[in-house]
Amino acid sequence: MSLTHAPAGAVRQGSLRELNLALVLGRIATADRPPSRADLATATGLTRATVSAVVEDLLAGRLVSESDPAPRSGAGRPARGLVLAHQGPAGLGLEVNVDYLAVCVVDLAGQVRHRTVHRADLRPVAPADALARLVEMAGAARDDAADQGLTLVGAALAVPGLVDDAGMVRLAPNLGWHDVPVPALLAEHPPLIEQVPGVPALMVDNEANLAALGELHAQPPGPSSFLHISGEVGIGAGIVLDGALFRGVRGWSGEIGHLPVHPEGRPCRCGGQGCLEQYAGQEAIVAAAGLARAELPADTATARLAELAEAGDADALRALRDAGTALGVAVAGVVNLLDLDTVVLGGGYAALAPWLCPPVLAEIGARVLTAAWSPVTVRPSTLGAEAAAVGAAGSVARRIVAQPAGWLARSG
């Protein structure tokens, strides 16, 4: 795909014009209603002439568009509002998980314009082959985006494992990946995106981190601090504090699936014992419900468990209760440590939340020191299983909004 990795923290020195472009576009992106040019001048402190010049650049570059004027009383021509454009640059989100591949395109306004999922057990598939399949899906997404007037200008890849600053997947135990040079493998394929200054061609991150970012920026807005737990075959967590993702010293925070809930318990693929994944991962729940021998396809496992639980199946209810209890033990430790008041159940957990939430809340109530006077909310995610791919694509789109000058230089 000829996607090369660049450090997420790289900052390019900008001119006054570049700063004004970012300032005005940022105001348009965060406004409660479409602002007029006069509104932007008031909000930014820039002169009306400067705002008008900046807006013209943004309109010409397909970064914003004009909305219909809002009704107003009195004389005078109603001012036209400005919104982020639905055509122009867009972000590409990619995801490799244990039992599926996903591709997503998100425009500057945060709208999902394309999403495809390919279900397959990827554990026996070599990393290069899995990524080749993903590139093929991304090519179809690129073509669909072009038909909608969108240009892909960057990609973010979500992987269920530890990723270093160079995009190397150091360990993804449930996939069996060790030291996989993802950027180098993707660079062997023809390019699918337009290179834009200030926007990395490829970012690689943990899928739970990107899912948490997707939830953070989902509509309607939620809390600015929360724990997002992605429940798939593996279990990962994204920690959001005061509106920012907490990554840890090396970017490896959130490996909640490998917290031991039974220190002398079942062996885990990571080499440890009693890890949460062995008691609350998707395969563990399916097996506990007596469904493993039925070879339940991964894409129907969650739905089937929900159906059985809804029908009152004793085995399914017991499996979900036990999984929720194990999950609650791990969550209570995180809440005690970080003083969070919201836990979001994402991935496959979202559909199972009606049965997982009660035992999770019971463990929080019993184990969290402050639970008696500081209640914790446990709820399903807004994006569900789509969160990681949507969060990946959205992270690219937001980078364009933050640094629009690169796109304008390319398109001008």
Side-chain angles (χ1 to χ4, degrees), residues 67-346:
S67 65
D68 292 332
R72 59 180 293 182
S73 58
R77 180 181 178 183
R80 304 201 71 177
L82 295 157
V83 296
L84 293 177
H86 288 277
Q87 292 184 322
L92 174 66
L94 310 169
E95 182 181 5
V96 177
N97 218 303
V98 178
D99 51 9
Y100 66 87
L101 299 169
V103 172
C104 179
V105 175
V106 169
D107 64 23
L108 293 191
Q111 297 298 308
V112 176
R113 306 293 292 274
H114 175 97
R115 177 169 168 80
T116 53
V117 178
H118 172 69
R119 294 284 178 178
D121 185 353
L122 295 171
R123 283 168 288 197
V125 180
D129 293 336
L131 293 171
R133 295 182 191 179
L134 194 62
V135 168
E136 184 177 351
M137 295 170 62
R142 186 267 318 270
D143 294 343
D144 183 38
D147 289 342
Q148 298 181 61
L150 296 168
T151 302
L152 303 182
V153 297
L157 171 62
V159 181
L162 303 177
V163 183
D164 69 15
D165 291 340
M168 173 84 74
V169 178
R170 289 299 182 184
L171 177 65
N174 290 308
L175 278 170
W177 287 17
H178 298 268
D179 293 329
V180 177
V182 170
L185 291 175
L186 289 176
E188 296 175 0
H189 299 273
L192 291 173
I193 64 170
E194 296 280 350
Q195 183 65 61
V196 171
V199 180
L202 176 66
M203 296 178 289
V204 186
D205 203 346
N206 177 270
E207 61 88 19
N209 283 344
L210 291 171
L213 287 177
E215 187 70 21
L216 175 65
H217 295 281
Q219 297 296 327
S224 60
S225 297
F226 59 90
L227 175 70
H228 183 283
I229 304 176
S230 296
E232 306 289 351
V233 173
I235 305 172
I239 304 166
V240 176
L241 302 175
D242 296 327
L245 186 67
F246 175 76
R247 296 179 177 275
V249 174
R250 292 172 293 272
W252 297 347
S253 67
E255 289 297 325
I256 195 173
H258 298 288
L259 287 181
V261 293
H262 297 288
E264 303 301 323
R266 302 167 189 164
C268 182
R269 294 183 184 93
C270 73
Q273 283 184 269
C275 294
L276 177 63
E277 285 183 2
Q278 299 306 310
Y279 299 88
Q282 179 179 283
E283 289 183 339
I285 301 174
V286 168
L291 298 173
R293 292 187 179 181
E295 296 183 354
L296 198 63
D299 58 336
T300 63
T302 298
R304 181 59 177 153
L305 282 167
E307 288 175 3
L308 290 170
E310 193 75 51
D313 181 85
D315 289 337
L317 289 172
R318 182 175 59 254
L320 290 168
R321 183 182 64 248
D322 291 347
T325 297
L327 184 59
V329 171
V331 167
V334 177
V335 172
N336 271 325
L337 185 65
L338 298 178
D339 186 27
L340 297 169
D341 64 1
T342 303
V343 177
V344 179
L345 301 182

